[in-house]
């Protein structure tokens, strides 16, 4: 009595989503989607979309990935019949960023932009998230937004000297 009622705020989490982003820095094109999980099968489904829908006429797609256990050709064989998985795998060339070096992946830079421009608040549902991701993706694709990569070969030779052989001339 005679004082305000005090109540603690309790944040209630209504779920999380896994984001998948594919980014073609030369075209300024990206595709971002969300899924309930981040499994091998989820990754394989996204790769099939990349190869069959986004780049149906490309003979070979070079994909730079970080070192997650889902980012592997074996994921295709887990998700699809062998003939489909083999067809997809033949068109895919995977390059992995160095361990603890996902910052070398321009898709990570694009994810940072996404976080700042779109995911800087709570989003109440998966449906609303899909709408927000789609609007962000369409706007970025419409303007052909590109990543300004400033990491030069000389920088790489210094920062990643353990990966470069020493020339003895």
């Amino acid at each position: 009595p005679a004082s305000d009622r005090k109540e603690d705020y309790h944040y209630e989490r209504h779920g999380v989503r896994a984001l998948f982003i594919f980014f073609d820095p030369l075209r300024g094109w990206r595709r971002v989607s969300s899924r309930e999980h981040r499994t091998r099968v989820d990754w394989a489904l996204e790769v099939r979309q990349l190869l069959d829908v986004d780049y149906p006429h490309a003979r070979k797609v070079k994909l730079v990935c970080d070192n997650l256990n889902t980012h592997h050709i074996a994921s295709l064989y887990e998700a699809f019949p062998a003939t489909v998985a083999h067809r997809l795998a033949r068109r895919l060339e995977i390059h992995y960023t160095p361990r603890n070096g996902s910052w070398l992946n321009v898709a990570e830079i694009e994810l940072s932009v996404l976080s700042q421009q779109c995911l800087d608040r709570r989003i109440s549902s998966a449906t609303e998230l899909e709408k927000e991701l789609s609007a962000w993706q369409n706007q970025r694709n419409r303007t052909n937004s590109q990543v300004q990569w400033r990491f030069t070969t000389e920088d790489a030779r210094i920062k990643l000297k353990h990966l470069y052989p020493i020339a003895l001339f």
Side-chain angles (χ1 to χ4, degrees), residues 114-123:
L114 170 65
S115 294
Q116 294 168 20
Q117 293 180 349
C118 180
L119 304 177
D120 58 347
R121 65 196 183 288
R122 292 190 179 136
I123 298 176

Side-chain angles (χ1 to χ4, degrees), residues 107-118:
E108 295 284 346
I109 296 169
E110 194 68 8
L111 277 172
S112 177
V113 173
L114 170 65
S115 294
Q116 294 168 20
Q117 293 180 349
C118 180

Side-chain angles (χ1 to χ4, degrees), residues 7 80 92 95 97 110 119 140:
E7 197 172 303
F80 307 117
L92 192 62
H95 298 272
T97 58
E110 194 68 8
L119 304 177
R140 297 279 291 170

Side-chain angles (χ1 to χ4, degrees), residues 35-76:
R35 291 184 169 271
E36 192 172 340
H37 303 287
R38 189 200 72 196
T39 66
R40 289 173 162 263
V41 171
D42 292 311
W43 184 78
L45 291 168
E46 292 292 335
V47 167
R48 181 173 66 178
Q49 163 101 14
L50 178 74
L51 295 172
D52 288 348
V53 178
D54 300 330
Y55 289 90
H57 303 297
R59 283 188 353 206
K60 186 71 77 175
V61 171
K62 294 180 181 180
L63 187 60
V64 178
C65 298
D66 50 14
N67 285 286
L68 284 176
N69 64 337
T70 57
H71 298 168
H72 197 274
I73 294 292
S75 298
L76 299 173

Side-chain angles (χ1 to χ4, degrees), residues 13 16-17 19 26-27 31-32 34 38 41 53-54 56 59 73-74 101 104 114 116-117 123 125 133 137 154 160 168:
R13 191 175 188 166
V16 294
R17 302 288 289 180
L19 296 181
L26 299 177
R27 286 178 48 208
R31 179 173 55 80
V32 62
S34 76
R38 189 200 72 196
V41 171
V53 178
D54 300 330
R59 283 188 353 206
I73 294 292
L104 290 169
L114 170 65
Q116 294 168 20
Q117 293 180 349
I123 298 176
S125 69
L133 292 175
Q137 169 188 296
E154 278 64 40
L160 306 170
L168 301 173

